[in-house]
Amino acid sequence: MTSSRQLLDAADPERTHWIELPAQRSSVGVARRSVGTRLKSWSLPGDVCADAVLLLSELATNAVCHTLSVRILCGIGLVTEGVLRLEVHDHDHSGPTLRQCRAGLDDEGGRGLFLVEQLADSWGVVRSRLTGGNAVWANLTA
């Protein structure tokens, strides 16, 4: 399995897919559709595609809503046979920290990292060599 510190290789178009978008709520849907299309082209099982799209959506939403980034960079990659890596890079230079919220029953938000924790095999945050901000990543068995 890929080390938590080893981020995707941005140069391998056969095994990775990247999309850079404005840090706006509408970009999350664009990222979902783009990633979903690429995952299907890789002939991954439907449940893996659905989980991966949901994970990327949650990571992208956090980057859009909780950083001062102007743009975000979303990436997916087949890092080894059977392991899918998802990453969202922002331009937040304040440091790699994530704060998990506990949502109340009537809250509309606050469940993103809980979902990531439940669906991903592993996840975390490191400094992005691509943006200088945070790179939040998640690994998923494909």
Side-chain angles (χ1 to χ4, degrees):
M1 185 178 278
T2 296
S3 160
S4 63
R5 293 246 180 242
Q6 183 180 345
L7 296 176
L8 286 173
D9 177 5
D12 186 355
E14 295 299 318
R15 297 185 62 86
T16 60
H17 173 71
W18 291 94
I19 183 168
E20 185 175 15
L21 297 163
Q24 302 169 350
R25 287 185 183 266
S26 60
S27 293
V28 176
V30 174
R32 268 195 310 265
R33 287 186 294 280
S34 176
V35 165
T37 299
R38 179 54 64 101
L39 291 168
K40 287 177 186 164
S41 77
W42 287 341
S43 300
L44 295 174
D47 59 333
V48 171
C49 292
D51 287 350
V53 168
L54 178 58
L55 282 169
L56 189 87
S57 177
E58 294 301 334
L59 298 179
T61 298
N62 282 347
V64 167
C65 293
H66 301 295
T67 73
L68 299 176
S69 299
V70 174
R71 300 193 66 76
I72 59 171
L73 181 62
C74 301
I76 59 169
L78 294 167
V79 293
T80 63
E81 203 58 43
V83 177
L84 181 65
R85 174 86 164 202
L86 304 103
E87 297 178 9
V88 174
H89 299 242
D90 62 40
H91 290 83
D92 185 350
H93 296 277
S94 64
T97 59
L98 292 177
R99 186 174 45 90
Q100 188 168 358
C101 302
R102 294 290 178 211
L105 292 175
D106 295 330
D107 291 344
E108 290 184 24
R111 293 173 184 83
L113 291 180
F114 175 76
L115 287 172
V116 170
E117 189 175 273
Q118 297 302 306
L119 290 175
D121 296 321
S122 57
W123 70 279
V125 59
V126 295
R127 182 61 55 199
S128 170
R129 70 181 185 281
L130 301 175
T131 66
N134 297 313
V136 184
W137 58 269
N139 287 343
L140 185 64
T141 301

